[in-house]
Every structure is written in C-alpha cells, then in structure tokens.
Amino acid sequence: MKFFPEAIKTRFLTDDEIYRLRHLMEPRVWEMVAFAIETGLRRSEQFNLRWSQIDMDNRVLNLPMPKGSKSRYVPLTDGVCALLSRWDSFTKSPFVFPGKDPLKPLDARSFVHRHFDPALRRAGIVGASWHSLRHTAATRRVLSGASLYGVQQLLGHRDIKTTARYSHLTPGFMQETVSKGSLFSSVDSQAETATGSKTGSAGSTETSGFGQPIDFMVRPAGIEPATLSLEG
C-alpha cells in the first residue's frame, strides 16, 4: 500500500515571537537560542560544539562531516563573536556548552525540556520546537535577500531541493527571476544607451521593442533574408 508523501513542515519564529521569547528567558538561555538562530546549526551540532572547532581570527567554525567527507565551515556574525567572547567555558571544558561534568557536553534533550519548551508555552507559541530555530535562521536569510545556494551552504544541505522549500517565502521570487533574464529588458537597455533616448530624439530613429531582437541578428554573408509568407 502506498502512502501519500508527508508534508514537510517549515515552522519558523516570527519577529514578534522572538521578541516574546527573549523577554521570558534567562539571559544565558536566550543567548543559546540566539546562537542557534545566528548560526543555523542542528541541535546536535550546537550542543556538541568544541572550542577547538572555532576560529575567532577568521570568524568561522569548523564542522567535520561524517564518513570522511569534507568539513563544513560556518561564518560567524558579529553577534555570535560577541557571545563567544563573553562565554568562559573554555577555561574548564573542551565544549562550548558543557554539562555538569565539564568533560561532557550539555544534555540537549534535558535543556530543551527544562528551559526552551516551558518558555514557548509561557510565550503562547504553538507548533514550534528547537528545530524551528534552524528554520528561522534560513527564513530570515531568504527574506533578507540571501541566495538559496548561500543558505544551502550555511545550513549544510546536501540537496538544493531541501533548501528550495524556503523559496516561496521571498516576495516576487519568480517575478524577479524571470525579469533578470528577460531578452527585451536587456535589448531595450542597449538601444537606450546607443540612441541616448528610449523614445527617440532629433537625429535618432525610434524603434519598436518587438522589432529590436531581429535587428541584432547576424545573417551569414551572401545569404538574402528570407521573405515572410502568410501562406500555411
């Protein structure tokens, strides 16, 4: 028996929800949430992050990929660099977010259950989870004009189809795409530059937008242009 494909949920936090969360959380908890939104890391990547993976000089963190694949590099924003500079866990632990035992990372499930989920309930935010922070990271970039390829590299998606789920969030996404490759817009621009006027002036000839592409065609030498016929 075949089942219908499961809908992929891309629940992200709005600016209003982020504002409410920030003012309901303890500063340290909020900083970890902000770190997740700024970097777009997966939960396991963030909570297992080591100080040795962070290069503050080049403002980048290194995430080794499994099975011997190439490492993934995540650029650090000014906000993330400021957070990392404030945190002093490097003096006692190899992990950025250490647990009670400094030699072990903070238990992600316990942290989310004790701190993050209760804050969501107090803020009246429904349908969100820690993974929603990763969707929020992607959504904020796309809505700010970042390319899907850039977001793919940031999040570490192997397939661009995974990143394409965010494309519909950009207002005028398809319209902008087709306009940038429009033949007539480029031809009109060239004609305007050549004549100095789009509507024509003294000493220049006004041309029709639909006629211009033919004028730019190059005919082989010695061949007369074909005569158009109205016969079928």
Side-chain angles (χ1 to χ4, degrees):
M1 180 181 294
K2 260 191 170 183
F3 292 92
F4 289 107
E6 184 179 356
I8 300 176
K9 298 179 181 180
T10 53
R11 174 69 162 93
F12 61 91
L13 301 182
T14 64
D15 287 343
D16 177 65
E17 290 173 333
I18 292 174
Y19 177 85
R20 279 148 48 196
L21 267 184
R22 180 175 184 175
H23 289 81
L24 286 171
M25 288 179 167
E26 298 176 4
R28 175 62 174 177
V29 177
W30 161 249
E31 288 177 354
M32 295 178 66
V33 170
F35 186 90
I37 296 175
E38 286 290 286
T39 61
L41 297 184
R42 298 177 176 88
R43 190 176 74 174
S44 59
E45 293 173 337
Q46 175 168 338
F47 283 85
N48 289 291
L49 188 65
R50 294 172 177 265
W51 284 105
S52 59
Q53 297 174 251
I54 299 173
D55 183 350
M56 291 293 286
D57 292 332
N58 295 310
R59 298 165 60 93
V60 67
L61 62 84
N62 175 14
L63 296 173
M65 302 301 288
K67 300 181 181 180
S69 301
K70 293 182 179 180
S71 296
R72 171 170 143 238
Y73 296 94
V74 178
L76 303 178
T77 64
D78 292 338
V80 169
C81 288
L83 289 176
L84 291 170
S85 299
R86 264 203 316 269
W87 296 338
D88 60 355
S89 58
F90 66 89
T91 61
K92 57 183 178 180
S93 173
F95 295 99
V96 178
F97 307 105
K100 291 183 179 180
D101 181 352
L103 298 181
K104 294 181 180 180
L106 182 64
D107 187 297
R109 289 186 179 182
S110 176
F111 176 84
V112 171
H113 178 71
R114 295 178 58 188
H115 300 284
F116 184 70
D117 288 345
L120 288 177
R121 289 193 291 270
R122 290 197 300 271
I125 299 174
V126 180
S129 64
W130 184 269
H131 194 69
S132 300
L133 302 180
R134 184 167 159 85
H135 290 316
T136 303
T139 300
R140 293 177 68 85
R141 267 66 177 195
V142 171
L143 291 177
S144 297
S147 69
L148 289 182
Y149 177 76
V151 174
Q152 178 193 13
Q153 297 303 306
L154 174 67
L155 299 186
H157 291 157
R158 293 185 179 182
D159 193 337
I160 190 64
K161 292 180 181 178
T162 306
T163 319
R165 74 179 74 174
Y166 304 105
S167 62
H168 71 284
L169 299 172
T170 308
F173 170 73
M174 288 304 298
Q175 184 61 47
E176 180 183 359
T177 299
V178 297
S179 296
K180 285 186 176 180
S182 172
L183 173 65
F184 294 103
S185 61
S186 61
V187 170
D188 288 344
S189 178
Q190 292 178 17
E192 184 177 354
T193 302
T195 62
S197 173
K198 191 172 183 180
T199 58
S201 58
S204 64
T205 303
E206 184 176 359
T207 57
S208 170
F210 287 96
Q212 291 176 25
I214 299 178
D215 297 336
F216 280 86
M217 293 174 61
V218 179
R219 302 186 181 93
I223 298 179
E224 293 298 327
T227 302
L228 297 178
S229 174
L230 297 179
E231 298 180 359

